[in-house]
Amino acid sequence: MSQQASLPDDDNWLLDDNDGEETPRPSEVRKPWKVLIVDDEKDVHTATRIALRGISYKERPLELLSAYSGAEAFQMLQQHQDIALIMLDVVMESEDAGLRLVHRIREELDNGVVRIVLRTGQPGQAPEQEVILNYDINDYKTKTELTTQKLFTTTIASLRAYENLVSLEKNRQGLAKILESASDLYQLHSLREFASGVLRQISALLDIGTDGILCVRNDNMVGRPELEILAVSGAYEYLAESGDLSNEPHLEAVFQQVFKEKRSIYQHPYDVLYISSRNRREFAVHFMPQWPLDAVERDLLDVFCQRISAAYDNLYLYNQLRSAQEATVVALADLAEFRDTDTGDHVLRVQKLTDAIAEEMAGDNHYPELMTREFMDMVGMASILHDIGKVATPDNILLKPGKLDPDERAIMEQHATIGAQILAKSAQLVEGASYLSLGSEIAGGHHEHFDGNGYPNKLKGQDIPLSARIVAVVDVFDALLNKRPYKEPWSMEDTMKYIHGRSGTQFDPHVVAALSRLVGEDRLPVQFGD
């Protein structure tokens, strides 16, 4: 079996104690290099530990692990995926146990970065040239030639090679994660949602815990703190309620320094990133890695900050565009309501109740293929355009205090087709789904009946757009509860009795059920009824 490694007398300088050295502060301690010693001789472990005692590379100490067989070493490699170097005996439980372990590391674990130094006390058992050619190892030494100095040299050279391989792999994986996370950030549509997404992506990029804070700097914004917390996670969740950093004065000082100097600061454990955008908004992100970040990780974060900035600019432009669209929709709705003074805040109530019913139905998992994020975001605002076609209805019909005769009713019913056509034509100018395209569906379909007896196209069941089926119920619900030129307001009891009586004929039963639950649980979003 293997022979014990020797320690030359002239290398005893490694045995000096370090008791007189000052113990480093926790923030100064750096992640150690893990070195696994694999040998079936206990004395070899002891000798190796003595020889490597006190050695550090790039201010990072060594953490020495021990395994006494190939099988035990394989288990440790599964548990410690960041082992940098393996000092591996060739002959242990079998004559080729070490060589078998090399194969398993590279093939089964798919670990191509850990460096392996084979050591043998029986060099003839596995010829050096054959081993070097056939196995992915760093070095192959007999135990007798591994003096303390040579062991030091081999260790440092192996750690340097490991570091270079890890840097390349971190860059590859990090850039892939940045591209993936940037794509995710482009899909977020609110500032706080965006901020939470940034914290999650930094955690994933660095493979660290979830503790983090993202702040925005508010310059000259009355009533807002200068440093406002937009998102917190992990140990900092208690700060969400206060919304500022007054409970963390040291961290607040670091944030202030970041904003003053307009740069990221790495003062582990107070690491804070600086992010600026084209519209002059400034953000800072604090996170808590276990160890001080290395150069590769900092470079990746610099790239990520650039992607965050671009993604925020995209969010800002998206919100500006969306605000402009909403303003246009409100203006169109006001135009439709301008002549119909008795409807009051009808369209605003319709908007809020449409949103509430859609949320209720989504919670019940009704029509999941239709309840997309885009649909949920737009259906309420689009609903206020449901009567836009009334701009073409003559005053003598629109404002008539009594019941309409058949001819007048036929003219009134034209508003559904007219509204759909007006909005559909405008929607063609906007690529994809928009308030206008959804509004066209609603305007043209909110008078269709679930059983096919509505107007203008006699659509039936799910052939009627979901948006229109929701607004059909909401429109009647609000109209019955409020005064109109042709009627007095109804009670809530009579209104719900009327709607329940038409479930499955005029109305989609799922929409009726959602409204009924909101009414029964007193969760209506606004006050209905005069």
Side-chain angles (χ1 to χ4, degrees):
M1 299 296 288
S2 58
Q3 301 175 359
Q4 179 179 339
S6 61
L7 283 173
D9 293 336
D10 59 351
D11 289 327
N12 285 340
W13 60 274
L14 282 169
L15 303 181
D16 292 341
D17 291 331
N18 295 320
D19 294 341
E21 294 185 4
E22 181 181 353
T23 302
R25 293 177 298 176
S27 62
E28 296 174 343
V29 176
R30 300 182 66 83
K31 183 179 181 180
W33 304 99
K34 290 184 180 180
V35 177
L36 175 60
I37 306 167
V38 186
D39 202 296
D40 59 349
E41 295 285 347
K42 185 176 181 180
D43 289 347
V44 173
H45 289 263
T46 302
T48 305
R49 287 177 176 274
I50 293 173
L52 297 179
R53 183 179 180 185
I55 291 177
S56 65
Y57 172 60
K58 291 194 172 180
E59 300 181 355
R60 291 171 59 181
L62 305 186
E63 179 183 346
L64 302 180
L65 307 173
S66 288
Y68 295 87
S69 69
E72 183 182 355
F74 187 79
Q75 291 179 349
M76 294 198 72
L77 284 158
Q78 289 178 307
Q79 297 169 4
H80 301 269
Q81 298 180 6
D82 57 346
I83 290 175
L85 170 61
I86 304 173
M87 299 285 190
L88 177 58
D89 188 15
V90 175
V91 183
M92 292 180 289
E93 65 265 36
S94 65
E95 292 182 351
D96 62 348
L99 298 179
R100 288 177 177 272
L101 179 60
V102 173
H103 181 78
R104 296 189 70 189
I105 292 169
R106 301 308 190 199
E107 299 299 325
E108 291 184 37
L109 296 181
D110 193 26
N111 186 338
V113 295
V114 63
R115 299 295 84 199
I116 302 173
V117 174
L118 282 176
R119 302 193 295 182
T120 181
Q122 304 175 30
Q125 192 72 34
E128 181 175 348
Q129 289 187 359
E130 179 182 335
V131 171
I132 290 292
L133 288 172
N134 296 334
Y135 293 89
D136 180 9
I137 62 171
N138 270 60
D139 210 344
Y140 183 58
K141 299 288 187 181
T142 61
K143 293 181 182 179
T144 54
E145 67 178 310
L146 270 178
T147 63
T148 302
Q149 184 59 47
K150 288 184 177 179
L151 189 60
F152 169 83
T153 302
T154 297
T155 299
I156 297 303
S158 298
L159 293 180
R160 183 176 287 116
Y162 171 80
E163 180 186 34
N164 290 335
L165 288 173
V166 168
S167 295
L168 289 172
E169 184 62 15
K170 276 186 176 180
N171 272 311
R172 185 188 68 79
Q173 294 182 357
L175 291 173
K177 287 181 178 179
I178 288 171
L179 292 174
E180 179 183 348
S181 62
S183 176
D184 290 340
L185 292 176
Y186 275 94
Q187 306 304 315
L188 303 178
H189 295 158
S190 75
L191 184 54
R192 291 192 179 275
E193 185 182 26
F194 176 83
S196 295
V198 170
L199 292 183
R200 289 194 303 271
Q201 300 300 348
I202 288 178
S203 175
L205 176 63
L206 299 179
D207 194 21
I208 59 176
T210 59
D211 303 329
I213 305 172
L214 190 148
C215 284
V216 61
R217 183 180 185 184
N218 294 319
D219 281 335
N220 304 319
M221 295 184 69
V222 179
R224 305 289 288 273
E226 182 184 1
L227 298 183
E228 182 179 1
I229 294 176
L230 293 181
V232 291
S233 60
Y236 292 114
E237 288 185 356
Y238 75 97
L239 294 174
E241 186 173 348
S242 64
D244 60 48
L245 292 168
S246 57
N247 293 324
E248 293 281 348
H250 189 107
L251 191 55
E252 183 177 26
V254 179
F255 269 89
Q256 292 283 12
Q257 182 183 355
V258 165
F259 284 122
K260 180 180 179 181
E261 299 180 8
K262 300 185 182 302
R263 66 179 181 89
S264 298
I265 291 178
Y266 300 99
Q267 298 176 351
H268 186 75
Y270 295 98
D271 295 330
V272 181
L273 299 177
Y274 173 75
I275 303 166
S276 62
S277 66
R278 290 185 179 179
N279 70 327
R280 299 181 181 178
R281 295 303 300 273
E282 295 177 296
F283 304 89
V285 185
H286 166 59
F287 51 96
M288 295 178 65
Q290 183 179 2
W291 310 100
L293 300 176
D294 59 30
V296 173
E297 290 168 328
R298 292 187 184 190
D299 289 343
L300 286 173
L301 284 172
D302 286 342
V303 175
F304 187 51
C305 286
Q306 296 172 20
R307 302 307 301 165
I308 294 173
S309 177
Y312 172 73
D313 288 333
N314 176 74
L315 171 65
Y316 175 77
L317 292 174
Y318 169 84
N319 286 334
Q320 290 291 95
L321 177 61
R322 182 167 178 171
S323 295
Q325 289 180 346
E326 290 178 354
T328 301
V329 169
V330 171
L332 288 172
D334 285 345
L335 177 64
E337 296 294 305
F338 181 74
R339 294 159 58 235
D340 195 359
T341 56
D342 286 333
T343 59
D345 293 325
H346 168 65
V347 292
L348 298 180
R349 293 192 298 269
V350 167
Q351 175 192 358
K352 292 185 179 297
L353 187 53
T354 297
D355 277 333
I357 288 178
E359 289 287 347
E360 198 75 11
M361 293 174 68
D364 289 338
N365 202 33
H366 292 312
Y367 310 117
E369 71 283 358
L370 301 177
M371 293 286 190
T372 62
R373 172 63 183 272
E374 196 172 49
F375 177 89
M376 300 297 289
D377 283 347
M378 294 192 298
V379 67
M381 179 61 68
S383 72
I384 70 176
L385 296 172
H386 65 281
D387 278 338
I388 188 70
K390 286 183 177 179
V391 294
T393 304
D395 283 349
N396 65 309
I397 296 176
L398 182 66
L399 304 178
K400 184 176 181 178
K403 187 176 181 179
L404 300 178
D405 62 37
D407 291 337
E408 292 170 333
R409 183 163 188 81
I411 294 173
M412 173 64 84
E413 289 181 356
Q414 291 175 5
H415 82 275
T417 300
I418 293 171
Q421 291 174 346
I422 291 173
L423 296 174
K425 185 176 181 179
S426 301
Q428 292 176 358
L429 302 176
V430 181
E431 184 177 353
S434 66
Y435 294 122
L436 297 175
S437 62
L438 206 58
S440 176
E441 290 181 357
I442 294 169
H446 74 290
H447 286 296
E448 300 285 0
H449 288 189
F450 203 68
D451 62 3
N453 290 317
Y455 69 87
N457 297 314
K458 302 293 184 181
L459 298 180
K460 183 177 181 180
Q462 295 188 36
D463 289 338
I464 307 168
L466 176 60
S467 57
R469 302 202 304 269
I470 294 174
V471 175
V473 174
V474 174
D475 187 32
V476 171
F477 176 78
D478 186 72
L480 293 178
L481 288 170
N482 290 275
K483 184 178 180 180
R484 289 290 183 268
Y486 52 86
K487 61 171 279 297
E488 293 298 315
W490 289 21
S491 68
M492 180 66 74
E493 181 180 356
D494 289 341
T495 298
M496 291 307 299
K497 185 177 180 180
Y498 178 92
I499 290 177
H500 277 297
R502 285 160 176 75
S503 177
T505 53
Q506 183 175 349
F507 304 125
D508 183 333
H510 290 313
V511 180
V512 173
L515 172 64
S516 182
R517 190 157 54 248
L518 290 172
V519 172
E521 297 175 5
D522 196 24
R523 291 191 289 114
L524 291 173
V526 291
Q527 178 66 40
F528 285 84
D530 294 331

